[in-house]
Amino acid sequence: MSDQGGPAGSTDTSGTIPPELERLRHSIDNIDAALVHLLAERFKATKQVGVLKAERGLPASDPGREERQVARLRELAKQADLDPVFAEKFLAFIVGEVIRHHEALAQDHAPRG
């Protein structure tokens, strides 16, 4: 995030932040908060998926689903005028974390002996 706010992030040498910049920063802060909450909800759901997979001995990764999700997200990105390559990288990061969590859950559910 290149525009962090505050004196270090301000390009205004008078020490005051223009109202339009302040408004935009406030909007960005609200969007960032929404993203964090949405990611938290997503990870709650994927944790439940991981538990179900672990209980049933299913693999942590589902390459077919991941491929469909990438195609779906790229299309959504195009519709939203967002760079599809960026959207795919973002999804890949999230999916990587989800798989890591699912693998840990699988280890927790592995038979001991």
Side-chain angles (χ1 to χ4, degrees):
M1 310 211 191
S2 60
D3 193 357
Q4 294 296 316
S10 178
T11 55
D12 185 346
T13 57
S14 69
T16 61
I17 298 172
E20 182 68 6
L21 179 56
E22 188 66 34
R23 185 189 66 73
L24 289 167
R25 286 178 174 169
H26 182 72
S27 179
I28 290 167
D29 291 348
N30 287 339
I31 293 166
D32 287 346
L35 284 170
V36 167
H37 288 280
L38 286 171
L39 284 170
E41 287 302 311
R42 189 184 197 287
F43 275 94
K44 286 176 189 173
T46 60
K47 182 177 182 180
Q48 292 174 331
V49 168
V51 169
L52 290 173
K53 285 181 173 184
E55 290 173 349
R56 289 164 176 76
L58 298 171
S61 177
D62 183 344
R65 167 140 170 92
E66 292 161 25
E67 188 177 314
R68 291 187 302 275
Q69 284 295 92
V70 166
R72 180 177 161 272
L73 195 70
R74 287 181 68 89
E75 184 57 36
L76 287 170
K78 288 177 192 174
Q79 293 171 10
D81 198 26
L82 178 68
D83 179 4
V85 173
F86 169 78
E88 186 173 345
K89 287 178 184 178
F90 183 70
L91 180 66
F93 175 76
I94 291 171
V95 169
E97 283 297 299
V98 168
I99 291 170
R100 188 175 65 77
H101 293 169
H102 288 187
E103 288 170 344
L105 287 167
Q107 288 291 326
D108 291 344
H109 284 79
R112 310 249 186 249

